[in-house]
Amino acid sequence: EGSSPEKCNFPMEGFTWVGLIGLEDPPKDGVKGAIAVLDDASCKTVMVTGDHPTTAQAIATRIGILKENELANLPEEIREYTVVTGHQLAAYVPEGDGFENGACSEEQMEFWRKTVQHARVFARVSPVHKRVIVRAYQQIGGAIVAMTGDGVNDAPALKAAEVGVAMGIRGTEVAKEAADIVLLDDKFTSVVEAMGQGRLCSENLKKSIMYTLCSKI
């Protein structure tokens, strides 16, 4: 609801124009560069938000999740799965906890296959949708999912993800309890730096095991 005038949950007529106020919650410094680093590291960044689709698309373009004029250049059959709204998701939410054991019809599965493949932005979503999105990437996309969040509504998705990341400063206690990692500085760049350190540790461990095998056996 609320993603277009036809789907609004409040009347659109009978108002008197009084004025216009604009509010902006700009992206934090370093986010665009961090997403570029993730792209180079073969990690897919997806925005999941309760904001209006137009707002979400604009922010996603500013931080590099979507490229400038990308949607206009996509084929129609792909474009409709690139920015997905909660209104679209409502008809395809599985009955159970996920997509296994016949929880979805073939039509629902086909929708989620295309969504997992092409989606870059989910807008106007509910807490239930967030958890389903995580499950879709895990069970249909075969992905390892890291989810960031700060509110009570994010807790189910944080718990469902392989790595739930909560904000330590503005995050609620419920989100922190559900998460695996709590960021002390609330910076997305810290997630990217942590991934880099994790990959470095993994590579060093592989080298150590290889050295041990070669020298001791």
Side-chain angles (χ1 to χ4, degrees):
E1 292 183 333
S3 57
S4 70
E6 295 76 20
K7 300 169 185 173
C8 280
N9 55 3
F10 54 85
M12 295 293 290
E13 298 178 353
F15 289 99
T16 300
W17 178 267
V18 177
L20 178 67
I21 297 176
L23 300 175
E24 183 183 21
D25 184 12
K28 289 188 175 182
D29 294 337
V31 171
K32 185 173 183 178
I35 290 175
V37 171
L38 290 176
D39 287 342
D40 291 339
S42 300
C43 297
K44 182 179 180 179
T45 307
V46 177
M47 176 187 290
V48 182
T49 178
D51 289 342
H52 189 278
T54 305
T55 304
Q57 182 180 328
I59 296 296
T61 302
R62 287 177 62 178
I63 62 178
I65 291 178
L66 289 172
K67 303 298 184 289
E68 196 72 37
N69 299 319
E70 179 179 353
L71 290 182
N73 298 322
L74 288 174
E76 179 61 33
E77 61 271 17
I78 295 178
R79 188 186 311 149
E80 64 177 306
Y81 295 100
T82 304
V83 178
V84 183
T85 67
H87 181 76
Q88 292 173 266
L89 296 180
Y92 298 98
V93 174
E95 295 181 1
D97 185 48
F99 298 86
E100 298 173 337
N101 302 321
C104 287
S105 66
E106 185 54 40
E107 180 185 1
Q108 289 174 308
M109 289 296 291
E110 183 62 22
F111 170 83
W112 282 105
R113 289 190 194 101
K114 292 180 179 179
T115 299
V116 167
Q117 181 180 359
H118 300 297
R120 302 310 305 271
V121 176
F122 293 90
R124 275 285 192 263
V125 297
S126 70
V128 173
H129 294 152
K130 291 179 182 181
R131 179 180 171 84
V132 172
I133 290 167
V134 170
R135 289 296 191 208
Y137 278 99
Q138 292 170 327
Q139 297 175 359
I140 296 177
I144 297 174
V145 179
M147 176 78 180
T148 63
D150 57 9
V152 174
N153 292 342
D154 297 320
L158 290 171
K159 194 72 174 177
E162 275 83 5
V163 183
V165 183
M167 305 297 114
I169 299 175
R170 70 175 187 274
T172 63
E173 290 302 317
V174 174
K176 294 176 187 178
E177 286 294 326
D180 302 289
I181 298 173
V182 177
L183 296 181
L184 298 180
D185 57 6
D186 283 14
K187 293 182 179 179
F188 184 75
T189 51
S190 297
V191 177
V192 180
E193 292 171 3
M195 289 178 63
Q197 289 297 318
R199 289 191 175 190
L200 179 61
C201 291
S202 178
E203 286 299 316
N204 288 341
L205 182 60
K206 290 178 184 177
K207 292 175 183 178
S208 176
I209 293 173
M210 182 60 70
Y211 173 79
T212 302
L213 290 174
C214 293
S215 61
K216 301 297 184 181
I217 298 179

